Amino acid sequence: MNLNEADNEFTIDCLLLAGRIMIEGGAETYRVEDTMLRMAQSQNMLDAQCYATPTGIIFSLGKTQPTRITSISSRVTDLQKIALVNSVSRRLTSHIITLDEAYDELKSIQKTNYFLPIYMQVLSAALASGCFLIMFKGGWSDFPAAFIAGGLGFLMLVLMNYLTKVKFFSEFSASLVIGLIAFFAVKSGYGAEIDKIIISSVMPLVPGILITNAVRDLMAGHFMSGMAKGAEAFLTAFAIGAAIAVILSF
């Protein structure tokens, strides 16, 4: 491998890393492609081609250059990482930093966990559930039930996702816990409106960003990515609905 080929391989590694972090963080595929191509053009590689999907990225620097593929198996919503990659991309295209510095920053971003501690996530989900209850015109007497159901439901989501690595089963289990807590809260007299308790408590599980990205990808003409994200959002909604239906059927 000569020096030029080594440089090209390093450039592809850097661009694929940027795209991978963005896809894994939940970015729209058209934004990933645009970012990677802008970074490539900043390195005078004007013939670069990129095709991104929620499960992989195909990238080439041109007709005479080898094509590289990277597969992506897990995706979460991590806007902090997306913002940091965008910052690296803007500074690289403005020639404020070099490609080597950009690669080092991207490696650091990939290794860093920007999520809050689990207990803070659970507390936030519980508080959000209670606030959603008030926003849906629920009574303050149902606030404790929604607070507990939302928090324990989110804790079950994290626990089952850690144990099974199956997103659908985790969301189903979390919704089942929420439904049970709401049911027993109303039966025991600590809650009044089971529908508002359930609706407000499942809100932290609703894939709002995923649905938004699916629509954005479809509007941008990325039909495969849009349909894939739409199907993923549908499965999440089905898991939530199925679990609640099981509880309400008794």
Side-chain angles (χ1 to χ4, degrees):
M1 181 182 293
N2 58 41
L3 184 60
N4 190 43
E5 289 176 339
D7 289 342
N8 288 344
E9 288 293 329
F10 179 72
T11 302
I12 294 176
D13 284 343
C14 183
L15 300 186
L16 282 177
L17 180 58
R20 184 184 188 88
I21 295 172
M22 294 184 74
I23 290 285
E24 289 178 340
E28 308 98 316
T29 52
Y30 79 89
R31 188 188 301 277
V32 174
E33 293 178 357
D34 181 66
T35 299
M36 293 177 68
L37 292 177
R38 286 177 185 272
M39 293 174 71
Q41 290 167 2
S42 71
Q43 305 303 307
N44 295 320
M45 296 169 176
L46 305 180
D47 294 330
Q49 298 291 325
C50 179
Y51 180 72
T53 72
T55 56
I57 302 173
I58 303 172
F59 186 82
S60 173
L61 289 180
K63 297 178 181 177
T64 60
Q65 302 295 330
T67 299
R68 294 271 298 277
I69 302 172
T70 184
S71 63
I72 297 167
S73 57
S74 63
R75 294 168 299 281
V76 295
T77 301
D78 193 340
L79 302 182
Q80 177 73 7
K81 284 191 175 182
I82 297 172
L84 291 173
V85 173
N86 282 332
S87 174
V88 171
S89 171
R90 281 192 289 271
R91 284 184 287 133
L92 180 66
T93 55
S94 300
H95 303 289
I96 297 174
I97 60 175
T98 64
L99 190 65
D100 290 339
E101 293 171 331
Y103 186 74
D104 290 340
E105 288 194 31
L106 290 172
K107 292 290 287 185
S108 176
I109 294 170
Q110 186 188 35
K111 293 176 181 176
T112 305
N113 181 13
Y114 295 97
F115 283 108
L116 293 171
I118 297 298
Y119 75 91
M120 284 295 296
Q121 295 182 42
V122 172
L123 184 62
S124 299
L127 188 60
S129 299
C131 292
F132 273 118
L133 177 83
I134 302 304
M135 193 178 75
F136 294 149
K137 301 187 184 304
W140 281 98
S141 60
D142 289 337
F143 187 92
F147 184 89
I148 294 172
L152 291 182
F154 191 85
L155 181 61
M156 176 61 71
L157 175 75
V158 174
L159 182 63
M160 294 306 295
N161 196 42
Y162 175 76
L163 294 176
T164 66
K165 308 296 182 188
V166 180
K167 188 168 180 283
F168 178 85
F169 189 69
S170 303
E171 291 159 346
F172 181 86
S173 302
S175 302
L176 207 59
V177 168
I178 290 172
L180 282 172
I181 292 174
F183 177 79
F184 284 114
V186 173
K187 283 292 182 182
S188 60
Y190 290 101
E193 298 176 286
I194 189 171
D195 55 339
K196 290 182 179 175
I197 295 174
I198 290 175
I199 292 172
S200 58
S201 301
V202 300
M203 286 304 290
L205 310 180
V206 173
I209 294 179
L210 192 61
I211 295 172
T212 303
N213 287 349
V215 174
R216 289 287 300 272
D217 279 337
L218 288 172
M219 293 176 67
H222 291 238
F223 298 111
M224 182 178 291
S225 298
M227 293 298 290
K229 290 180 179 178
E232 188 176 352
F234 172 78
L235 284 175
T236 297
F238 180 75
I240 296 172
I244 299 303
V246 169
I247 298 300
L248 295 181
S249 63
F250 288 101

